[in-house]
């Protein structure tokens, strides 16, 4: 064993102490520098998009469960804009019992003579719940009924045990019967809910046809799409049909699938009609991030998510004849499996707390920036998260609520529901550039940024403090400067809403209770109340400066999101 000499050891110790002091001094100086956020209340950049008001999930039978209906009502109240809901398994065979990544409606079967039998009982419960909550469906036509599947056995999967890709994922054994089913399905919905209402919906064919959800070739999917869209248009000529809802285009194979599908719709031979091209009223694809565990903590992957979006937008923009079409990100999430709990997948531990909320605030607004860059007509961004029945509290599924208790992420959508009217000019001294966050995420420095809107005599400002790494860090000192408030507004009422570790956060409260899996009535009532969006402080009257300006100072912790509402 070798020992340092005493003088050498003292020298090393002094150097370590000096380095620590210097680091602390630099950190202190950095902490003293406020993040300056500027908002010009007079500079309009066009209407603010409500594309965020789209949600989806695998399990249709949770729609009409008590907690499902409760959540649909919450989503409907988020915004005055239409809220759209996308659901898998609307044509899947089964008894209507939900499960992880599973659901069924049993709309199609065949009698002993092989004649089609249609039963809309369970399907009506799903769509009635949408109607009653005043939300609109993005109708996903899938998956394959057992009686039509080319490989029906085994049919129901037992995921996570065994394969997910069972009989529901295969092509139809008879395309005319498939078309008849789609026609009857569409006709029934039109008759039950009215033609004018059904014309406001979106319609799609299948999900993820470039991965295991479709157990066949791309060409066979084109055939499936052609027969289905032809049938929808026969029943509802003004229906807005689209696809392919393929996975993230940052993957070259997925990008090729999307491009080939668009080529088919523009110039291919239609399998159902024999004519050139296929109906396409909007384009849908998916985008996902990629969280992972790094040195014992979760590191989010916002760069991967945004690269999916950018590559998909680039692909759409390369078709001049399609550039005008609406684009829907049919699933847009931090990763790809809502039903993979954090207990089984620790990289998903971000889901219960404010990390998920800050991620949504950051990524949704960057998606809008990318749409502007590529001149994309962005209609919707579907957050693939809803609720899971009969699961433990805060089990770490990608959901908006847990057992009827709102999670912090839902409060960010409530904040975005407050944003309306015209998009205003804004900027942040510590906001990452679009190119930087697309290419490298927020790994070295946080993205402390803002977006602002104005409607009538009201300005709303959303501010977030996002970093990819879920580790503790000092709070940011925010200096918010607002200019352009009308000269007749001498007093402005300020309301400051907050999501962070302590505010609008039922998860923190639940942990403080001792993480009860059977909360008492009083505990549940408290969780339910504190899961809603909360004010950080009481409303305050602010006095405007002579030039119509306001200055507000506050701290914003890492993964905190603030919404400042100014009314005069």
């Amino acid at each position: 064993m070798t020992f340092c000499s005493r003088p050498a050891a003292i020298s090393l110790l002094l150097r370590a102490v000096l380095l620590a002091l210097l680091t602390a001094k630099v950190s202190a100086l950095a902490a003293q520098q406020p993040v300056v956020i500027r908002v010009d209340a007079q500079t309009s950049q066009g209407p603010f998009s409500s594309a965020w008001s789209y949600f989806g999930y695998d399990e249709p039978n949770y729609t009409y469960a008590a907690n499902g209906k409760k959540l649909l009502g919450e989503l409907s109240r988020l915004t005055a804009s239409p809220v759209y809901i996308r659901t898998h398994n609307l044509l899947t065979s089964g008894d209507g019992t939900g499960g992880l990544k599973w659901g069924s409606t049993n709309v199609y079967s065949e009698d002993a003579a092989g004649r089609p039998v249609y039963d809309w009982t369970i399907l009506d419960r799903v769509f009635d719940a949408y109607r009653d909550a005043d939300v609109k469906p993005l109708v996903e036509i899938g998956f394959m009924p057992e009686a039509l599947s080319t490989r029906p056995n085994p049919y129901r999967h037992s995921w996570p045990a065994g394969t997910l890709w069972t009989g529901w994922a295969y092509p139809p054994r008879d395309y005319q019967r498939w078309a008849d089913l789609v026609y009857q399905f569409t006709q029934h919905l039109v008759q039950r809910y009215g033609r004018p209402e059904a014309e406001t919906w979106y319609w799609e064919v299948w999900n993820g046809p470039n991965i295991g959800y479709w157990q066949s070739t791309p060409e066979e999917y084109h055939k499936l799409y052609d027969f289905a869209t032809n049938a929808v248009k026969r029943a509802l000529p003004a229906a807005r049909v689209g696809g392919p809802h393929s996975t993230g285009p940052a993957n070259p194979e997925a990008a090729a699938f999307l491009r080939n599908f668009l080529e088919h719709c523009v110039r291919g031979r239609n399998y159902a009609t024999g004519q050139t091209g296929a109906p396409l009223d909007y384009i849908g694809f998916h985008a996902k991030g990629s969280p992972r565990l790094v040195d014992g903590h979760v590191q989010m992957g916002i760069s991967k998510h945004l690269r999916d979006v950018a590559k998909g937008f680039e692909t759409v923009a390369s078709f001049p004849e399609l550039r005008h079409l609406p684009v829907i990100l049919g699933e847009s999430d931090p990763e790809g499996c809502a039903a993979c709990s954090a207990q089984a997948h620790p990289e998903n531990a971000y889901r219960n707390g404010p990390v998920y909320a800050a991620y949504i605030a950051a990524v949704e607004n960057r998606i809008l920036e990318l749409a502007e860059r590529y001149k994309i007509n962005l209609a919707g961004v579907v957050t693939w998260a809803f609720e899971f029945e009969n699961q433990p509290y805060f089990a770490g599924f990608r959901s908006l609520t847990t057992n009827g208790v709102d999670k912090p992420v839902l409060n960010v959508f409530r904040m975005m529901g407050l944003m309306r009217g015209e998009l205003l000019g804004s900027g942040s001294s510590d906001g990452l550039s679009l190119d930087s966050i697309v290419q490298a995420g927020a790994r070295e420095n946080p993205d402390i940024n803002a977006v602002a809107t104005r409607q009538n005599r009201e300005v709303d400002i959303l501010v977030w403090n996002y970093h990819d790494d879920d580790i503790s860090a000092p709070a940011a000192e925010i200096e918010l400067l607002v200019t352009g408030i009308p000269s007749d507004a001498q007093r402005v009422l300020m309301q400051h809403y907050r999501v962070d570790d302590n505010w609008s956060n039922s998860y923190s409260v639940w942990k403080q209770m001792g993480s009860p899996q059977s909360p008492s009535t009083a505990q549940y009532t408290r969780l339910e109340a504190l899961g809603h969006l909360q004010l950080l402080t009481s409303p305050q009257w602010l006095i405007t400066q002579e030039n119509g300006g306001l200055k507000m100072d506050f701290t914003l912790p890492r993964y905190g999101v603030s919404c400042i509402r100014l009314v005069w």
Side-chain angles (χ1 to χ4, degrees):
M1 182 179 294
T2 302
F3 293 89
C4 293
S5 66
R6 185 178 179 85
I10 293 174
S11 176
L12 289 172
L13 179 60
L14 287 173
R15 290 172 62 188
V17 171
L18 288 172
L19 180 60
L21 290 172
L22 180 61
T23 301
K25 184 176 181 180
V26 170
S27 298
L29 288 172
Q32 293 171 5
Q33 299 299 315
V35 177
V36 180
I37 294 175
R38 301 178 185 274
V39 173
D40 182 354
Q42 291 296 323
T43 305
S44 172
Q45 297 183 347
F48 182 70
S49 172
S50 60
W52 57 269
S53 62
Y54 287 61
F55 302 89
Y57 47 101
D58 292 64
E59 305 85 1
N61 308 105
Y62 295 164
T63 304
Y64 49 82
N67 287 329
K69 288 183 176 180
K70 179 181 179 182
L71 179 52
L72 285 178
E74 295 282 359
L75 297 180
S76 177
R77 289 189 289 273
L78 290 177
T79 173
S81 300
V83 172
Y84 282 88
I85 306 294
R86 177 176 182 254
T87 316
H88 293 341
N89 291 299
L90 289 177
L91 301 182
T92 305
S93 300
D95 62 4
T97 302
L100 296 180
K101 299 183 78 67
W102 177 261
S104 58
T105 61
N106 217 48
V107 298
Y108 182 90
S109 59
E110 295 177 358
D111 64 17
R115 293 184 293 262
V117 176
Y118 299 103
D119 185 346
W120 312 113
T121 305
I122 297 175
L123 183 80
D124 288 347
R125 296 182 70 185
V126 174
F127 280 77
D128 284 358
Y130 294 157
R131 177 199 59 200
D132 295 345
D134 195 23
V135 298
K136 295 181 180 293
L138 196 174
V139 185
E140 182 185 309
I141 302 171
F143 296 118
M144 195 58 60
E146 185 174 11
L148 277 182
S149 175
T150 53
R151 189 178 173 182
N153 297 311
Y155 188 75
R156 175 165 181 172
H157 61 70
S158 300
W159 189 89
T163 181
L164 186 65
W165 320 122
T166 49
W168 58 267
Y170 285 82
R173 58 178 176 80
D174 184 322
Y175 272 94
Q176 189 54 57
R177 291 201 175 207
W178 163 252
D180 291 344
L181 165 60
V182 175
Y183 176 82
Q184 294 295 335
F185 170 75
T186 308
Q187 181 84 332
H188 172 76
L189 293 175
V190 169
Q191 290 174 349
R192 186 172 181 86
Y193 303 102
R195 185 173 298 272
E197 172 62 23
E199 289 176 349
T200 69
W201 304 350
Y202 289 98
W203 303 71
E204 63 159 298
V205 182
W206 220 254
N207 171 73
N210 62 312
I211 57 174
Y213 283 88
W214 179 243
Q215 293 293 302
S216 191
T217 64
E219 292 72 24
E220 195 79 12
Y221 172 70
H222 297 165
K223 186 176 182 179
L224 183 88
Y225 181 88
D226 291 351
F227 274 89
T229 53
N230 179 262
V232 172
K233 292 285 192 178
R234 283 191 288 116
L236 184 65
R240 297 183 292 181
V241 298
H245 287 275
S246 50
T247 59
N251 179 295
E253 292 182 0
F257 185 98
L258 176 60
R259 178 172 293 279
N260 290 339
F261 170 79
L262 298 179
E263 286 281 356
H264 171 74
C265 290
V266 173
R267 287 175 277 273
R269 179 179 178 275
N270 189 296
Y271 287 92
T273 66
Q275 299 174 352
T276 299
L280 188 66
D281 300 304
Y282 78 92
I283 299 166
F285 65 89
H286 300 174
K288 305 282 185 176
S290 57
R292 59 192 185 118
L293 283 180
V294 177
D295 297 330
H297 71 272
V298 175
Q299 183 182 80
M300 303 298 285
I302 198 171
S303 172
K304 161 64 170 60
H305 192 159
L306 293 172
R307 282 186 281 116
D308 273 346
V309 176
K311 186 61 178 178
F313 287 172
E314 178 187 291
T315 301
V316 173
S318 70
F319 285 81
E321 53 277 83
L322 301 178
R323 290 194 63 144
H324 66 287
L325 291 182
V327 173
I328 295 176
L329 301 183
E331 295 177 24
S332 177
D333 305 290
E335 34 64 44
C337 181
C340 296
S341 73
Q343 296 172 349
H345 301 267
E347 70 275 12
N348 293 337
Y350 73 88
R351 293 168 166 181
N352 286 330
V355 176
Y356 191 7
Y359 183 100
I360 289 294
V363 81
E364 291 276 347
N365 287 286
R366 299 306 188 158
I367 289 170
L368 293 178
E369 289 184 59
L370 286 170
E372 177 63 26
R373 170 175 289 185
Y374 288 97
K375 306 304 178 187
I376 294 297
N377 179 14
L378 182 64
V381 179
V382 179
T383 293
W384 200 255
F386 190 60
E387 68 102 7
F388 288 88
E389 287 291 306
N390 304 315
Q391 296 295 333
Y393 280 79
F394 297 102
F397 293 103
R398 194 173 70 236
S399 61
L400 304 174
T401 65
T402 176
N403 292 283
V405 174
D406 298 345
K407 293 165 70 172
V409 65
L410 184 53
N411 286 313
V412 164
F413 289 110
R414 289 190 171 106
M415 287 178 169
M416 289 193 287
L418 299 177
M419 312 290 291
R420 51 192 174 175
E422 298 293 308
L423 179 66
L424 298 177
S426 62
S428 170
S429 63
D430 287 49
L432 299 180
S433 71
L434 178 59
D435 288 333
S436 173
I437 200 168
V438 170
Q439 294 303 317
R443 299 286 169 87
E444 292 188 13
N445 299 308
D447 181 40
I448 305 175
N449 222 322
V451 65
T453 61
R454 175 177 173 175
Q455 177 170 296
N456 300 325
R457 299 174 68 85
E458 176 184 311
V459 167
D460 296 286
I461 307 161
L462 189 72
V463 186
W464 62 89
N465 183 349
Y466 172 78
H467 196 284
D468 275 341
D469 290 284
D470 184 11
I471 54 179
S472 60
E477 299 292 332
I478 307 295
E479 183 178 291
L480 176 59
L481 304 174
V482 181
T483 58
I485 294 175
S487 58
D488 63 343
Q490 297 179 359
R491 293 203 313 162
V492 174
L493 182 64
M494 187 270 287
Q495 295 170 292
H496 188 160
Y497 297 94
R498 169 65 62 81
V499 177
D500 62 19
D501 279 331
N502 300 308
W503 297 93
S504 311
N505 189 334
S506 60
Y507 181 53
S508 292
V509 177
W510 179 74
K511 289 190 293 183
Q512 292 166 9
M513 291 177 175
S515 306
Q517 283 301 332
S518 298
S520 67
T521 300
Q523 286 176 320
Y524 186 89
T525 299
R526 185 162 180 256
L527 287 171
E528 194 175 31
L530 296 182
H532 291 166
L533 185 60
Q534 296 175 291
L535 286 167
L536 180 66
T537 62
S538 298
Q540 302 175 35
W541 285 102
L542 305 178
I543 305 301
T544 58
Q545 301 169 0
E546 290 184 2
N547 61 356
L550 281 177
K551 179 177 179 292
M552 289 157 280
D553 298 314
F554 58 92
T555 60
L556 186 64
R558 179 67 58 85
Y559 300 115
V561 184
S562 280
C563 185
I564 313 291
R565 167 163 280 188
L566 304 174
V567 181
W568 60 89

